[in-house]
Amino acid sequence: MVLSKFFGKKSTAPKSTAKAPQRPAPQMAAAGIDHWLGLAQATDPKQRKEAMVELAKALDEGQLTAEHRQQIPAAGQLSLDLHARAPMPANVSEELWVEVACNGFSARVRTAAAEQVTGVGAMEQLLKSAKGRDKSVYRQVKTRLEEHKRQHQALQAKQDHSRRLVEQLERHAKAPIDPLFSGKLRALLDQWVANSPYADEALTERWHQAEALARLHSGAVSEVESERSDSAPVSVETAAVSEVAEQDKVETDVEPESEEAANDPHRSELIQHLWQDLKDRLDQPEIDQAQVREALLYLTEQQHQWRQTEQTQRANRDEERSFHRVCTTFEASLNTLVRLHERYGLLAELLPAIESDPAQYDAAAHALDEWLHSLDWPESEPEPALKVRAERAVQIHHEQLAEHRKHSIQAVRQARGLIRRCQGAISEGHLKRASGLLQGIRDAMVDLKPGEHHGLFRQFEDTEQAVEKLRDWQSFAVLPKKEALIERMRHLLKQSLPPEDRARQIRDMQDEWRMLSRGLQNQHQALWETFHDLAQQAYEPCKAFFEEQGKLRALNLRQRQALAEQLVQYEQLIETQGLDLKELDRVLTLARNEWRRFSPVDRAANKAVQADFDAVFQRLRDRLQSEQQDFKEAKLAIIDRARVLLEEPDSRQATEAAKQLQREWQQAGHLARRDEQMLWKSFRAICDELFARREAAAETFKADLNAHKEQADHILADMDALLTEADPLAAKDRFEALKAQYSALGTLPKADYRKLQDQFGRLNQDYQTRCRDLKLQQQDQHWQALFDWNRRARFECDSAEVAKADWESLSKIPSPAAELPASLANWQTSGADDETLRRKTVELEILARADSPEADKTLRMALQVQRLTDGLGQQVDQSDIDRAVVAWLATPARDEAQYDALMARMKQARSVWMTSS
């Protein structure tokens, strides 16, 4: 029906398996069993569980043979035996039972396996494993462990009592001769009969040795008593009186200075043993008259031993006070404790009752307080646990009584405040509020006693009378309003309204009538009967409508019943066929929504259906939460790993790891919506912080890149400015500093990196070229001056003397041209022509590898051929160029214009050479 789309396919599985034996394909069935047998040994728990469920179905259908079962692991075979309720083998280890109880394929198998775990260590291990995973196993094991603990504590108490009996018998066997020796021995023997089964071998051996020694001692006591009876037939009481008198005589004979004698170690030990014995007796679970008589016999024995020690040395005052204190406390505390037990029961039950109900157990608390005052315990001795527990109960009782008195004071204050407010409401004429406040006064005074608060109860009576007077007065005031309501109800009878609107108006008028009647109970009864009859008549047309509503409620109730039954069926299916967590979560969500949709329903009839639905819904929800625990732990581990990433300095690496954790989160399984949202919120906050850190780092990095680009632009602008200076060589240091600053900038924006690098390389190259040209220019200025002198000497100087004087005025003369003035005479020769100078020009262009004009191509070719014929090599250096230039300068020329043109070609060829070299 409602949930069929979730488990409708699964519901057909039992029918198909029921017909499986009739299928004519047993080989395919066997192949399926082999498949599940293989998965039963898988490492994945879910696969093993699914395989065991299928194998259990095959076992139920009789398809699982003995050969098949031999292939199943031991835990799986044991699970199948529990599923089939087969007899259990006797040699199953505790570890195997624990494994099946933890990992069994069904709840019944796990519960049955848990019942077989008996060892305390194994049960504790199973308790830890089942916590949060399997509630039924957890509760069962926890109950058994608690029962085992209680039994162990009871056994330990019996063993401790047996140990104390042995110690008492050992002390009694070493005691001196005493008329009460035999009676004390018989009492100890009677107690040992009941406690001997709880004593171990060593303790039993000690008892037998002490018993043998005590019986020997008892025989000596009998002989002494017979001798005394032969010599003088004195009663025990007379003998005790004589012994006391003799002791008094001994004490009077002792010298006075012995009163301040040192403490006797034996007497100190005796006092200490008495305190220890009293502590052991008070710490017993219960005490009766027989035990008190036995204790008083033991005290008499110790008093006799004390008197024996005083025969040799009188006790000092401190010893006497200490002994008297322990004897008084010993006797008084035990007798009082027995009376408390007889009157109020065991203290183990009385103390919690005193703490919980101080008023009822006030007398018991006072009696317990008096017992504590009689228990004059010294600070040097360890206190009994009962004393500490009783003191705490009395303290809690006193505190609760103080709290009770505090509540009483608060109740009085509250009642007085309510009385003042009620009187104010009466003065203002508000009967409804006054009636409510009057009831509040009654509630506040419910625990107060009239004998203790006369004035308060008198004020309450006056206030109550004032409220009654106000009620009588208002009964006349509301009469017209009630009559008006009756008229409105008569008018409603004549109106035609929808059933819901009619019912609402009837309900509103009934509510208004009740408001008018508040505080006026049993008033205007006749008017009420008239109003009620009219309301019944007005409601008659609504009955048919609400009958249909009743049918709808019945239909919704049946739908809810069907929904609860479907959930039960689904629970049975997942028990046998395995659990799908996502499907279970969807089923629960859909079931809850459908349950709410089937509304309204009859509340009384819905209670049982609601209980059934809540029960199966809660079981499935517990199952879902139990299975989701592993998923929750995995996601908590992911959150812890994400928190570790917050310490990672590399934001890029941290965010990449966070992305991987997000992928793991998606694969970790699905939780309940509230748990999923809570864990996802924590995980998302960490991831957001990691990504925010990366974005901040990226923004910082981007800002650094932009800053680096701005710095690079400024540096390149400064480098470009240095190129325009007249003397770039003088700015070399600044240029190198700018280059160093550019290299130290760091990372540049990727989009601008190539452009900036190209600009930087171009500026650097231009600067180097400019510097090189300037150096060449500085080096070549002496040649340029020589060229200018050559022209002046040829065409401007009037005589050779003037030309020589001009030669001597040159600052520096290149060494190859030192003999150039000797050619002055040739320059003035009338037979000179320009062809020789042209030829020298072409030769220089050939050496400098410079181009020649088109008109001189033939001459150039001839000169090149001649150089080849003469065997001149192709290697040319600076000295060859300098000699060729000097030869050119020494060659005479006739025409000034031709000379200037050829000189320009000579300079160009020389410039080409210097640039290329």
Side-chain angles (χ1 to χ4, degrees), residues 271 275 278 319-331 374-380:
I271 294 173
W275 285 117
L278 179 58
E319 290 178 334
E320 289 178 351
R321 282 195 294 268
S322 299
F323 186 70
H324 177 72
R325 179 182 181 182
V326 68
C327 291
T328 303
T329 303
F330 197 101
E331 182 176 0
S374 68
L375 196 62
D376 186 15
W377 204 270
E379 296 181 357
S380 59

Side-chain angles (χ1 to χ4, degrees), residues 596-664:
R596 293 171 180 171
R597 188 170 66 87
F598 296 141
S599 178
V601 293
D602 184 74
R603 294 184 179 180
N606 183 59
K607 287 184 178 180
V609 182
Q610 182 76 48
D612 295 340
F613 176 81
D614 292 342
V616 65
F617 188 89
Q618 188 61 38
R619 289 196 302 270
L620 292 173
R621 183 179 178 84
D622 293 342
R623 180 74 176 277
L624 177 65
Q625 293 177 347
S626 176
E627 296 292 341
Q628 287 177 338
Q629 185 64 27
D630 294 339
F631 300 157
K632 185 176 182 180
E633 293 176 356
K635 293 197 173 184
L636 288 174
I638 293 176
I639 294 175
D640 293 338
R641 290 164 58 191
R643 287 196 181 97
V644 174
L645 294 178
L646 295 175
E647 307 297 331
E648 174 64 39
D650 190 348
S651 59
R652 178 181 295 274
Q653 185 175 356
T655 51
E656 292 300 325
K659 292 178 182 178
Q660 177 61 31
L661 291 180
Q662 288 177 345
R663 289 190 289 270
E664 294 181 11

Side-chain angles (χ1 to χ4, degrees), residues 739-754:
K739 287 174 60 179
Q741 293 178 15
Y742 183 86
S743 300
L745 282 178
T747 308
L748 295 173
K750 187 176 181 181
D752 302 319
Y753 176 78
R754 178 54 56 191

Side-chain angles (χ1 to χ4, degrees), residues 347-375:
L347 291 186
E349 301 174 356
L350 178 63
L351 294 179
I354 293 175
E355 296 176 357
S356 61
D357 193 350
Q360 182 177 356
Y361 293 92
D362 184 63
H366 285 293
L368 184 62
D369 195 15
E370 293 178 359
W371 176 75
L372 289 173
H373 283 295
S374 68
L375 196 62

Side-chain angles (χ1 to χ4, degrees), residues 234-259:
V234 183
S235 62
V236 174
E237 290 78 7
T238 305
V241 172
S242 300
E243 183 178 359
V244 172
E246 183 180 356
Q247 180 67 24
D248 293 339
K249 181 179 179 181
V250 171
E251 291 176 356
T252 56
D253 292 340
V254 176
E255 296 180 0
E257 58 269 15
S258 64
E259 295 180 359

Side-chain angles (χ1 to χ4, degrees), residues 26 68 132 203 237 310 363 449 504 513 522 555 583 627 649 669 728 730 755 759 783 790 805 822 836 917:
H68 291 151
L203 201 61
E237 290 78 7
E310 288 191 333
K449 298 179 181 179
R504 188 186 70 254
W513 184 280
N522 301 324
L555 177 61
E583 179 187 88
E627 296 292 341
K755 177 182 177 182
Q759 186 179 357
W783 285 96
N790 186 270
T836 304
S917 61

